[in-house]
């Protein structure tokens, strides 16, 4: 027989574990319910604990008040003038008071402690069961004690006649069971009030926990702790600046990169933006007063790209990216492309000149060929010499020679003013190169295409101050835009390949103001724009020149004076150093090639001032 098939084993059901909940709102709800319940129970207990004593005290005071009312001169007179009996006047008066007040008993006794009244007439004429000495001595007594009628709240008062002489005492008792019943009767109402307070507290705790659940997105405490740790690691690990603001515009959070980019420290946390950053475009962008995506702003010497995202609580989170190097590379790319275009145009021009020279030589017009080469070389040499005679710094001179070539290809005349003179004593030539390059590029863009397009540059030194003036023949800048053009991101030009403009003039003003100078724009003599930049302390102090000492060798040398008629000058030049009319074609071509190369190649072609 085959074995009977076994039934598949049923999975053991998982027992539900009851423990402390993980969610924040559940833990808060339980804690609030526990606190509300504990407070309710404690308040109820604290109220019930003295309630019994208060009820006892009230009963004893009530008994004493009845006793004092009963101990009247009339009862004292009846006590003195009659005998203790069930029908005596004292018993009648005591029973009337007992029935009208609801007391358990009203006992009148003489100075010997003999009862003259009692609820049980059989007790009249007998000695009281408790010590009456305190009341007979003139004291008022309040106590809870046991007597012939059981446990009661008692009040005893002395009985005085009209002369004030103590002739006996009155003892009144309130049934203690009625006091206990009052206590038990107060408990249900008290518990009802406590239950109502507990229910209201539970409802409030539930509403608060539900709101907390929405705010914490139903997370557990462990999840919140992990999120905080991850947030700290992420904020301080990324290479972008992050600034969190509250609804009042105060800085709530900054990571290390934001502090570096903005140039502020952690002590700025909690401060308003204007107080931490000062007024300017950066504060306007972070505060949301300037809207848009990838907003450009300049902070110090850094070019920043900012994006702002509002949060549900009315605040915002702003991210900052450093585009200083990228912006510099983009500008260099634009300059390189402009230089390539200029070189391409020069290549065509050079080819045309070579073709012209080849034709003159083939036609055996040698004199005309020499004159043509001399004229071409003189133009390029004049441009380079005009720059280097007035601008002695090699980097700046090379820049202007290159800009002159680009200007010529764009049909713009670039000139150096006659009063320009800048010695080779610049503290930081690169900053002045940035300022001049930006202003000249803008001037060329404005002047290109105008009638008699021209740009004039004036550079002079006034002590240690460098003064730069760039004038163009363009349409000029309207009065209402003269401050606006120095704002980061503002431009009227089409976007270049790297996608950002509106930084050149902002950097010019920022560099000038950082040195304590200024940058402004006015209307030029011909109606175009005239930019003036003042850079204090841009030059070093001139070094003192040592006095020349007489040389014995020079004194012994005969005075030759000007070049004698037989003196031989270097090939291709006259005695004064200028090109002679009869220079050879080879010398002129070599010189022209050098000058043209200097004007086209820019800074790398200059080793120093001429």
């Amino acid at each position: 027989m085959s074995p009977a098939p076994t039934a598949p084993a049923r999975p053991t059901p998982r027992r539900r574990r009851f423990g402390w909940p993980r969610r924040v709102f559940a833990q808060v709800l339980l804690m609030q319910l526990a606190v509300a319940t504990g407070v309710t129970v404690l308040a109820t207990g604290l109220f019930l604990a003295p309630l019994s004593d208060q009820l006892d005290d009230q009963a004893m005071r009530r008994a004493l008040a009845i006793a004092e009312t009963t101990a009247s001169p009339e009862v004292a007179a009846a006590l003195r003038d009659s005998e203790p009996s069930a029908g005596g006047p004292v018993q009648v008066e005591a029973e009337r008071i007992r029935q009208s007040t609801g007391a358990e008993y009203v006992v009148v006794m003489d100075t010997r402690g003999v009862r003259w009244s009692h609820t049980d007439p059989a007790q009249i004429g007998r000695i009281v069961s408790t010590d009456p000495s305190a009341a007979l001595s003139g004291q008022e007594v309040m106590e809870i004690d046991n007597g012939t009628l059981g446990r009661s709240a008692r009040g005893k008062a002395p009985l005085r006649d009209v002369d004030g002489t103590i002739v006996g005492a009155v003892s009144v008792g309130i049934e203690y069971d009625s006091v206990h019943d009052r206590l038990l009767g107060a408990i249900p109402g008290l518990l009802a009030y406590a239950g109502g307070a507990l229910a209201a507290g539970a409802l409030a705790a539930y509403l608060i926990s539900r709101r907390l659940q929405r705010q914490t997105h139903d997370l557990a405490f462990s999840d919140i702790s992990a999120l905080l740790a991850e947030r700290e690691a992420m904020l301080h690990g990324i290479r972008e600046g992050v600034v969190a603001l509250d609804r009042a515009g105060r800085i709530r959070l900054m990571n290390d990169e934001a502090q570096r980019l903005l140039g502020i420290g952690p002590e700025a946390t909690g401060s308003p933006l204007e107080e931490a950053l000062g007024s300017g475009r950066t504060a306007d962008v972070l505060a949301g007063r300037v809207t848009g995506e990838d907003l450009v702003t300049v902070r110090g010497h850094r070019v920043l790209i900012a994006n702002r995202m509002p949060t549900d609580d009315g605040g915002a989170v702003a991210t900052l990216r450093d585009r200083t190097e990228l912006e510099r590379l983009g500008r260099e790319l634009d300059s390189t492309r402009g230089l390539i275009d200029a070189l391409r145009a020069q290549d065509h021009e050079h080819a045309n000149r070579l073709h012209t020279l080849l034709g003159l030589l083939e036609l055996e017009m040698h004199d005309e060929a020499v004159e043509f080469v001399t004229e071409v070389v003189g133009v390029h040499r004049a441009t380079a010499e005009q720059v280097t005679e007035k601008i002695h710094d090699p980097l700046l001179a090379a820049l202007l020679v290159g800009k002159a070539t680009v200007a010529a290809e764009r049909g713009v005349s670039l000139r150096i003013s006659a009063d320009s003179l800048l010695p080779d004593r610049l503290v930081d030539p690169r900053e002045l190169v940035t300022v001049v390059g930006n202003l000249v590029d803008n001037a060329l863009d404005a002047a290109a295409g105008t009638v008699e397009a021209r740009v004039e540059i004036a550079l002079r030194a006034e002590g240690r101050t460098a003064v730069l003036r760039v004038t163009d023949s363009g349409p000029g800048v309207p009065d209402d835009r003269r401050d606006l053009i120095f704002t980061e991101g503002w431009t009227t030009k089409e976007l270049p390949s790297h996608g950002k403009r509106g930084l050149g003039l902002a950097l010019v003003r920022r560099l000038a103001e950082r040195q304590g100078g200024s940058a402004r724009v006015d209307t030029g003599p011909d109606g175009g724009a005239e930019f003036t930049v003042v850079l204090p302390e841009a030059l070093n102090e001139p070094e003192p020149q040592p006095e020349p000492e007489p040389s014995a060798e020079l004194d012994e040398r005969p005075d030759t004076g000007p070049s004698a008629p037989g003196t031989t000058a270097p090939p291709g030049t006259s005695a004064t150093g200028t090109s002679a009319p009869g220079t050879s074609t080879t010398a002129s071509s070599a010189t022209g090639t050098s000058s043209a190369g200097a004007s086209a190649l820019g800074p790398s072609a200059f080793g120093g001032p001429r």
Side-chain angles (χ1 to χ4, degrees):
M1 294 178 63
S2 60
T6 58
R10 295 182 179 180
T12 304
R14 294 182 59 186
R15 291 184 302 174
R16 188 174 179 179
R17 299 180 60 185
F18 295 94
W20 190 250
R22 297 179 62 251
R23 305 297 180 188
V24 175
F25 87 97
Q27 292 189 24
V28 172
L29 176 60
L30 287 181
M31 288 188 291
Q32 287 180 330
L33 288 177
V35 170
T37 302
V39 170
T40 303
V41 171
L42 180 62
T44 303
L46 293 177
F47 183 80
L48 286 176
L51 181 59
S52 177
D53 295 336
Q54 291 177 1
L55 292 176
D56 290 347
D57 184 70
Q58 291 177 1
M60 290 186 295
R61 291 184 179 278
R62 179 186 171 200
L64 180 61
I66 296 173
E68 290 177 343
T69 303
T70 305
S72 63
E74 291 78 8
V75 175
L79 178 67
R80 188 178 61 247
D81 298 338
S82 62
E83 295 292 333
S85 63
V90 176
Q91 171 68 6
V92 173
E93 181 64 17
E95 282 298 303
R96 184 186 68 79
I97 295 175
R98 182 187 70 81
Q99 292 175 1
S100 62
T101 59
E104 183 181 12
Y105 64 85
V106 176
V107 176
V108 179
M109 68 191 77
D110 58 14
T111 55
R112 298 171 299 170
V114 176
R115 298 187 184 97
W116 284 63
S117 66
H118 197 274
T119 305
D120 183 8
Q123 299 294 330
I124 297 176
R126 296 182 180 181
I127 302 298
V128 295
S129 59
T130 58
D131 185 14
S133 59
L136 292 176
S137 64
Q139 300 179 10
E140 294 179 348
V141 178
M142 293 189 304
E143 60 184 358
I144 302 293
D145 203 356
N146 294 318
T148 57
L149 296 179
R151 189 174 180 82
S152 61
R154 299 180 179 184
K156 297 179 181 180
L159 180 61
R160 303 174 186 271
D161 59 11
V162 293
D163 297 330
T165 303
I166 297 177
V167 297
V170 179
S171 176
V172 178
I174 303 296
E175 186 179 3
Y176 190 77
D177 290 339
S178 64
V179 178
H180 186 66
D181 293 340
R182 288 180 61 191
L183 176 62
L184 296 179
I187 291 178
L190 181 61
L191 293 179
Y193 284 116
L198 181 59
L203 178 61
Y206 175 75
L207 295 178
I208 293 175
S209 64
R210 290 294 297 178
R211 185 171 184 269
L212 186 61
Q213 182 183 17
R214 291 192 299 269
Q215 290 181 339
T216 59
H217 301 283
D218 200 16
L219 294 175
F221 276 112
S222 58
D223 298 333
I224 295 177
S225 178
L227 285 175
L228 289 176
E230 293 170 0
R231 187 198 70 168
E232 291 298 317
M234 179 183 65
L235 287 178
H236 297 288
I238 61 176
R239 299 304 300 169
E240 287 192 1
V242 178
V243 180
L245 307 172
D246 60 13
R247 65 176 60 192
R250 292 186 296 266
I251 298 176
R252 185 162 52 190
L253 174 68
M254 285 188 303
N255 65 347
D256 298 338
E257 185 66 8
Q259 297 176 20
R260 185 184 70 86
L261 295 178
L262 297 176
I264 56 179
E267 65 277 359
T269 303
S271 303
L273 270 176
E274 287 73 12
E275 180 180 335
L277 302 179
S279 59
R281 178 176 171 85
T282 303
D284 293 339
V285 169
L286 297 183
R289 291 187 287 271
V290 179
T291 59
E293 296 182 355
D294 292 339
L295 297 174
V296 181
T297 181
V298 177
R299 180 69 179 175
H301 62 280
R302 293 186 177 91
V303 179
L304 306 178
I305 300 298
N307 285 281
R308 187 178 187 273
M309 178 64 66
T311 56
D312 295 337
D313 60 353
V317 175
T319 58
L320 301 169
R321 299 195 306 272
D322 191 356
R323 287 182 61 100
T324 305
E325 293 297 324
L326 183 60
E327 186 67 26
R328 183 181 62 82
L329 292 175
R331 288 182 171 275
E332 289 182 358
L333 177 61
D334 288 344
S335 300
T336 303
R337 287 183 175 179
L339 183 59
I340 291 175
D341 293 338
L343 290 175
R344 187 181 294 113
Q346 280 193 346
D347 179 62
H348 289 289
E349 183 181 0
H350 187 61
N352 293 333
R353 290 169 178 171
L354 287 180
H355 293 160
T356 303
L357 179 61
L358 178 61
L360 292 173
L361 294 176
E362 288 180 351
L363 295 174
E364 297 184 356
M365 302 173 65
H366 301 101
D367 294 338
E368 288 79 359
V370 171
E371 183 179 356
F372 175 73
V373 172
T374 302
E375 179 182 358
V376 171
V377 171
V379 172
H380 289 283
R381 176 179 296 172
T383 301
E385 289 182 351
Q386 180 188 11
V387 172
T388 54
E389 284 176 1
K390 298 180 179 298
I391 309 300
H392 296 171
D393 183 79
L395 288 179
L396 195 56
L399 172 70
L400 293 178
V401 171
K403 294 296 182 183
T405 303
V406 175
E409 298 303 330
R410 298 184 63 178
V412 180
S413 173
L414 181 64
R415 296 179 297 182
I416 307 296
S417 67
D419 60 344
S420 294
L421 181 60
L422 189 69
D424 187 13
R425 293 188 285 108
L426 292 178
V427 176
D428 190 354
R430 297 182 183 275
E431 287 193 356
L432 192 55
V433 165
T434 300
V435 173
V436 174
N438 284 321
L439 293 181
V440 171
D441 286 341
N442 288 337
L444 292 178
D445 292 338
T450 61
V451 179
E452 297 183 1
R454 61 190 176 278
V455 173
E456 184 178 68
I457 303 172
L459 263 171
R460 67 180 186 273
E462 298 178 357
R464 296 189 58 188
T465 300
V467 180
L468 167 65
R469 187 180 70 252
V470 178
T471 308
D472 61 65
S473 61
V477 180
D479 294 341
D480 57 344
R481 296 187 178 182
R482 291 186 178 179
D483 288 332
L484 189 61
I485 61 174
F486 291 101
T487 304
E488 301 97 326
W490 191 90
T491 182
T492 59
K493 304 174 185 177
E494 295 182 358
L495 292 179
S497 58
H498 53 89
K500 297 294 176 185
R501 270 199 184 274
L503 295 177
L505 293 178
L507 288 175
V508 168
R509 170 169 281 187
R510 189 63 57 87
L511 288 174
E513 291 179 348
R514 191 171 64 186
Q515 295 185 14
S518 62
R520 70 178 189 274
V521 60
D522 299 306
T523 301
D526 299 329
E530 182 178 80
F531 288 86
T532 303
V533 179
V534 179
L535 301 174
E537 300 184 0
L539 289 85
N540 293 311
E541 292 288 350
E543 296 181 359
Q545 298 293 333
E547 297 181 0
E549 297 180 359
S551 175
E553 182 181 355
L554 292 178
D555 294 340
E556 296 174 359
R557 186 174 300 174
D559 184 11
T560 57
S563 299
T567 304
T568 304
T573 61
S574 64
T576 59
T578 58
S579 300
T583 51
S584 64
T585 303
T586 305
S588 300
S589 300
T591 308
T593 304
S594 175
S595 299
S599 62
L601 294 179
S604 61
F606 287 86
R610 295 180 182 270

